[in-house]
Amino acid sequence: MTAPPRFSAMRWIVSSSLRLRYLVVFGAAVLIGVGATQIGGMRVDVFPEFAPPQVEVQTMCNGLTTADVEALVTVPLEQALNGIDGLDQLRSKSVPQLSSILLIFKQGANLLRARQLVQERLAVATPNLPTWAAPPVMLPPVAATSRVMQIGMSSPSRSLMDLSMTAYWTVRARLLRVPGVANVAIWGERLQMLTVQVVPAEMLAHHVTLDEVMRVTGDSVDSGLLRFSTGSIIGTGGWVETGAQRIGIRHVLPIAGPAELGQVTVPTTTGGRVHLSDIAVLKWDHQPLAGDAWVDHRPGLLLVVEKLPWGNTLNVTRDVETALRALQPGLQDISFDTHVFRQESFIQLAIHNLTQALVIGFILVVVILMLFLFEWRVALISLLTIPLSLMATVLILNALGATVNTMTLAGLVIALGAVVDDAIIDVENILRRLRQARRSGSGRSTASVILEASLEVRKPIVYATLIIVAAAVPVFLLPGLTGSFFRPLAFAYTLAILASMGVALTVTPALCLLLLRRAPVERHQSPVVRVLQRGYTAALGRIIKHPRNAYGACIALVIAAALVLPGLGQSLFPKFKERDFLIHWLTPPGTSVAEQVRTTARLSHDLLAIPGVHSLGSHIGQAFLGEEVAGVNFGENWISLDPNADYKTTLARIEDTIDSYPGVFREALTYL
C-alpha cells in the first residue's frame, strides 16, 4: 500500500495551479497586458541615484577676493554647520565673490530632514556674517546626474540685458513650474539695475570719499545690493492716528532713474555738498560679471535645467520643451536651442538600440527553441513564460518606485540565463514524463503526471535559487559609491530569479496541462541535435583517448588569460557613446572675462565648422545658484553631434581642434 504524499507548500502551489489552470493563465495574460501599459510610464535614467544625501549652501560675496571669502564667510559658516546630526563630510570651496559649502550626509539619511537642520543653523549664522555678504542660499536638491538639458537663448534684436530680464522673470519662472525641475541656472545673465559708477579723479577733485558715496546711495533707494547703512532697514513708515481712523504712511522715493539719482547730494570732507552726477556716471547697467555664455556663433544666455532626485528625465525634457513652445508666441524675436545638451537624446538612443537587440534576441530564441526542442508546444510554453517572468519583475520594480537604468537592465540581463533555464527545463521534463507514462500504459491522469514531474525538477532548483539569492545578499551591504551602483543590479537580479521561480511553479504547469495533453507520444529528434551529438561524441572519444592534449590546451588558455588580464580596462562604468561632449576650458588664473570670452568664441567658431557638429553652447565662470563654483578663467563647452555623423571621425576632429590651442588646459569627455 502506497503512503499518501506529505503536504508541502510547493506541492500545494503546483496542484492549485493545475486545478485552477484557466484562472492562472488568465491572470498571466492580465499581467502581460497591465505590464504593457505600465512599462511606458516608468522612470528612466542612465544611472541609479548613486550620490548620498547632500545639501549645498552658496553665499554671494560681491567685491571680496578668494582669501576674504574664505576667512570672512566660508570659515564662519563651516563652524556653524559642523556637527549637524547625520553629517558625514563637510567640504567647502571659496572663489572670488562666491562661497560654497557642501554637506554630505550618511547613506540613508532623510534628505528633507537634513535640509531642515541646515536651514535652522543658517538662520542662526546669517546675522554674524559681514553685511556685504548676501544671505546664504541653500540650493535645491538635485539628482546625481542633475543636468537634464541645456537651452541656448539668443536674439538678433534684443540686448543681452533685456534678454536676461526676460529669461529671469518669464522663462525661468515658467520652467521652475515644470514637475521634476529643481533649478534653472542662467549663465551670461545681466540683470538690469541702476548703477553709480564713480570717477576717482572727480571724487578727488571734489573731496568726496567712497564711503560717503555708498552711504548716500544706500539711503536714497529702498532696495539694492548695498546694505551699507539704514537704506535697507524696513519699518521707517508707521501711521498717523486720528480720532476715527488710522492712516498708514508709505515712503515713496522720488528716484525713478539715473537723472533723479544724480540729483542726490553727497557731503564733502571740506563741509560742502556736491551732486552724485558730478562725481559719477549714473546709468542703467548690469552687475559686474562673474561669468558669461556663448551660444553657437554669438553671445547669448545658457539655461541649465537640473532635475530633482525623483524626477523622470524623459518627462522633464518633454514638459520643458512643451513649456518653451507655449512661451514662443510671445517671444517671437527670441530663439531657443534645446539641443546644446539633452540627456534624453542618449536615453532615447539607448532605448532604440535595446529594442532592436530585444527583437533580434527574441527571434534567435524562437529559432533555437524550434531547432533544438523540435516541438512547437514546448517552444510556445517557453516563449510565453520567459517574457512573463521579466514582465513580473519590471512591474514589481515599478510598484516600488525603482528607476529603469543601466544597472537595473544589467541585473535583468544577468538573470536571463536562469529565467530561460526555468522556462525550458520544467517543460522538457514534463513532456518526457508524459511520454513515459503513455508508453507504459499507466492509468495516471495527465495532471498527476505533470504535478510529480514539476516537483521532481523544481525541488532542487528551488534550493539552488535560494542559494543564489543568499549569495547576492552581500551586495546589498556594500557601502559608498560601489553599493549605490550595484544594489539596483542585485535587486533586479534577485527579483527576476524569484519571479521566474513563481512562474515556473504556477503558469508553467498550467500551460503544460492545457497544451501537452494531446502531445504525440513519439518524439522526433531534431536534426541539429543529432549532428551536434555525433560531433560531441567523436570529440569526447578523442579527448578520452589522448587526455594530455586536453590538459595542455587548458593550461595554454589559462596562461594566455593571465597575460591578457593586466591589459583589460579597470573601470566601474562602461564607455557610453554619447553624442553630447563636454570640453573643459581652463585658462591661466587672472584671465579676464573678455579674454575668456574671446578664446571661447574662437573655439566655438572652429568647432562649429567641423562636419557633424550640430550645436554648441559655452558657459564661463559662475551663474547665480549654479552648481559650478569657479573663477572666470574656467569654462565648459557643450557640443551636440548630428545623429547621422560618424562618431569616431567627428570626435577625432574635435580633439585635434582643441589641441591646437596652446597654453590652455582642455579636456574632452562625455557628461556621463
Side-chain angles (χ1 to χ4, degrees):
M1 184 174 179
T2 306
R6 293 184 303 167
F7 173 81
S8 67
M10 194 181 307
R11 176 179 291 275
W12 179 82
I13 292 172
V14 176
S15 61
S16 299
S17 301
L18 292 170
R19 189 170 58 255
L20 305 173
R21 52 190 177 276
Y22 293 105
L23 184 61
V24 170
V25 173
F26 176 75
V30 171
L31 189 146
I32 290 289
V34 172
T37 59
Q38 293 291 323
I39 194 171
M42 289 189 67
R43 288 168 51 202
V44 181
D45 213 331
V46 182
F47 292 141
E49 193 57 37
F50 56 86
Q54 55 189 20
V55 179
E56 184 175 358
V57 177
Q58 288 189 3
T59 308
M60 295 293 297
C61 311
N62 287 331
L64 294 188
T65 63
T66 302
D68 291 336
V69 171
E70 177 72 17
L72 301 176
V73 179
T74 303
V75 172
L77 285 178
E78 283 180 338
Q79 294 172 347
L81 296 173
N82 213 344
I84 292 179
D85 185 33
L87 182 64
D88 187 24
Q89 298 180 43
L90 189 148
R91 303 173 184 172
S92 65
K93 187 176 182 180
S94 300
V95 296
Q97 305 190 105
L98 182 63
S99 166
S100 173
I101 298 178
L102 183 64
L103 298 97
I104 302 175
F105 290 82
K106 295 177 182 177
Q107 195 73 39
N110 187 297
L111 177 60
L112 298 182
R113 180 177 180 273
R115 293 176 63 83
Q116 180 181 355
L117 295 175
V118 171
Q119 187 61 53
E120 291 173 354
R121 293 288 185 95
L122 288 178
V124 176
T126 299
N128 300 322
L129 295 178
T131 57
W132 53 81
V137 178
M138 186 166 54
L139 267 60
V142 295
T145 52
S146 58
R147 291 197 176 191
V148 176
M149 62 189 305
Q150 296 182 167
I151 305 167
M153 185 174 172
S154 57
S155 173
S157 58
R158 298 197 186 192
S159 66
L160 288 177
M161 193 158 57
D162 186 21
L163 200 65
S164 299
M165 300 303 290
T166 303
Y168 184 82
W169 291 107
T170 304
V171 180
R172 182 177 185 269
R174 175 62 185 88
L175 296 185
L176 285 175
R177 300 204 304 270
V178 172
V181 171
N183 186 29
V184 179
I186 305 175
W187 259 272
E189 187 176 40
R190 291 160 168 82
L191 294 176
Q192 181 179 338
M193 59 185 63
L194 188 58
T195 62
V196 179
Q197 302 176 14
V198 297
V199 181
E202 295 296 334
M203 290 176 59
L204 181 61
H206 290 84
H207 306 285
V208 176
T209 64
L210 184 60
D211 285 348
E212 282 297 327
V213 175
M214 295 179 68
R215 184 188 66 81
V216 169
T217 304
D219 290 342
S220 301
V221 295
D222 53 0
S223 63
L225 296 180
L226 291 176
R227 291 201 296 164
F228 192 76
S229 62
T230 59
S232 61
I233 295 177
I234 301 174
T236 57
W239 60 83
V240 173
E241 190 86 18
T242 68
Q245 61 181 345
R246 173 179 289 184
I247 303 173
I249 298 175
R250 177 189 174 200
H251 289 285
V252 179
L253 296 177
I255 298 173
E260 293 83 4
L261 185 59
Q263 298 303 311
V264 174
T265 59
V266 184
T268 66
T269 57
T270 58
R273 286 184 174 274
V274 297
H275 292 104
L276 274 176
S277 59
D278 296 331
I279 59 170
V281 177
L282 294 96
K283 63 178 181 178
W284 292 107
D285 208 340
H286 57 80
Q287 81 282 8
L289 292 179
D292 211 339
W294 194 270
V295 180
D296 291 335
H297 292 285
R298 57 181 180 267
L301 304 180
L302 195 64
L303 281 65
V304 176
V305 181
E306 298 177 288
K307 73 181 179 73
L308 294 165
W310 48 87
N312 187 325
T313 302
L314 300 183
N315 292 344
V316 169
T317 304
R318 183 191 65 235
D319 293 344
V320 165
E321 291 187 325
T322 302
L324 291 177
R325 285 194 297 269
L327 291 173
Q328 191 67 69
L331 305 172
Q332 291 291 342
D333 56 343
I334 296 177
S335 60
F336 296 98
D337 184 358
T338 59
H339 292 84
V340 174
F341 168 77
R342 47 193 296 153
Q343 206 175 128
E344 180 258 0
S345 299
F346 174 76
I347 294 176
Q348 291 288 13
L349 179 62
I351 292 175
H352 174 72
N353 293 338
L354 180 62
T355 303
Q356 283 188 338
L358 289 176
V359 171
I360 295 173
F362 182 77
I363 294 174
L364 291 176
V365 168
V366 172
V367 172
I368 290 173
L369 288 176
M370 294 301 296
L371 288 178
F372 281 83
L373 298 179
F374 215 61
E375 169 58 57
W376 69 269
R377 297 176 181 85
V378 176
L380 178 60
I381 295 172
S382 300
L383 290 175
L384 290 175
T385 53
I386 291 173
L388 181 62
S389 301
L390 297 178
M391 186 65 74
T393 305
V394 173
L395 282 176
I396 296 174
L397 291 173
N398 185 35
L400 296 175
T403 303
V404 177
N405 53 63
T406 306
M407 306 310 290
T408 304
L409 293 176
L412 294 178
V413 170
I414 295 172
L416 190 58
V419 172
V420 173
D421 183 70
D422 278 344
I424 295 177
I425 192 171
D426 282 13
V427 186
E428 183 74 8
N429 189 64
I430 289 171
L431 183 62
R432 182 169 59 87
R433 290 301 185 191
L434 283 173
R435 284 171 171 162
Q436 288 178 354
R438 291 171 183 173
R439 290 194 196 100
S440 63
S442 173
R444 297 174 60 192
S445 65
T446 304
S448 63
V449 174
I450 293 176
L451 173 62
E452 297 303 326
S454 297
L455 295 176
E456 180 184 16
V457 174
R458 189 46 45 189
K459 285 181 179 179
I461 292 181
V462 167
Y463 297 143
T465 301
L466 295 178
I467 292 172
I468 291 173
V469 172
V473 170
V475 180
F476 294 96
L477 305 177
L478 288 174
L481 180 65
T482 305
S484 300
F485 263 91
F486 283 100
R487 271 193 295 271
L489 184 149
F491 187 61
Y493 173 75
T494 304
L495 274 182
I497 294 293
L498 296 176
S500 177
M501 183 176 67
V503 170
L505 288 172
T506 56
V507 180
T508 301
L511 288 174
C512 288
L513 184 56
L514 292 174
L515 295 178
L516 299 183
R517 188 192 300 270
R518 295 180 178 83
V521 176
E522 296 299 328
R523 180 179 183 181
H524 302 284
Q525 191 178 33
S526 167
V528 177
V529 174
R530 286 199 300 268
V531 172
L532 293 177
Q533 194 169 16
R534 285 198 300 267
Y536 173 71
T537 303
L540 184 62
R542 287 193 293 269
I543 291 174
I544 293 175
K545 290 180 181 179
H546 306 284
R548 292 182 180 179
N549 296 335
Y551 294 150
C554 291
I555 293 172
L557 287 175
V558 171
I559 295 174
L563 295 175
V564 171
L565 182 62
L568 296 176
Q570 302 292 326
S571 177
L572 180 65
F573 309 121
K575 290 186 177 180
F576 297 103
K577 286 190 175 182
E578 293 179 79
R579 292 192 169 267
D580 294 305
F581 290 98
L582 163 64
I583 299 176
H584 286 149
W585 196 252
L586 188 63
T587 55
T591 303
S592 65
V593 176
E595 177 61 18
Q596 187 77 5
V597 171
R598 186 192 68 82
T599 58
T600 301
R602 181 175 175 183
L603 176 66
S604 301
H605 180 271
D606 294 343
L607 291 174
L608 287 171
I610 298 175
V613 174
H614 183 269
S615 60
L616 184 145
S618 308
H619 60 73
I620 298 166
Q622 309 165 13
F624 180 63
L625 296 183
E627 84 278 20
E628 293 291 352
V629 182
V632 296
N633 64 312
F634 175 78
E636 289 182 350
N637 303 278
W638 296 79
I639 303 173
S640 176
L641 300 188
D642 189 277
N644 299 319
D646 183 81
Y647 187 86
K648 292 184 178 180
T649 303
T650 308
L651 178 58
R653 291 180 178 178
I654 290 173
E655 291 176 343
D656 292 340
T657 300
I658 63 175
D659 288 341
S660 64
Y661 286 79
V664 179
F665 173 80
R666 61 269 184 188
E667 182 183 21
L669 64 162
T670 59
Y671 177 63
L672 297 180

